[in-house]
Amino acid sequence: MVNQANVKLYAYKSRHSINLPSDFVRDSAFPFEVGEELVARIDGKRVIIEKQCL
C-alpha cells in the first residue's frame, strides 16, 4: 500500500498542477476516480482535496 507520495507543484502561465505518481493513484485505497469533480481547500498550511458533495 502506498499511502504517501512526494509531489511537486508545476506552473504554466496562469495554470498550476500537481502530478501524482501512478503507484499512488493506482493503490486500491486511493479514493478518487479519473474525471471525478473534487474540491480543494486550504486549512492552515495544508491543502485538503475531497470529493465534491452534491
Side-chain angles (χ1 to χ4, degrees):
M1 178 175 0
V2 180
N3 61 3
Q4 183 173 318
N6 292 324
V7 298
K8 187 175 182 180
L9 179 64
Y10 296 92
Y12 179 74
K13 296 187 180 181
S14 65
R15 291 208 167 260
H16 293 75
S17 64
I18 297 172
N19 292 336
L20 302 173
S22 62
D23 57 343
F24 182 72
V25 174
R26 290 181 180 155
D27 189 293
S28 61
F30 191 75
F32 309 121
E33 300 290 329
V34 172
E36 185 174 11
E37 295 285 333
L38 305 173
V39 174
R41 64 183 169 88
I42 299 171
D43 182 14
K45 292 189 174 206
R46 295 173 182 241
V47 174
I48 299 173
I49 301 172
E50 300 174 312
K51 291 185 179 196
Q52 187 175 39
C53 295
L54 298 176

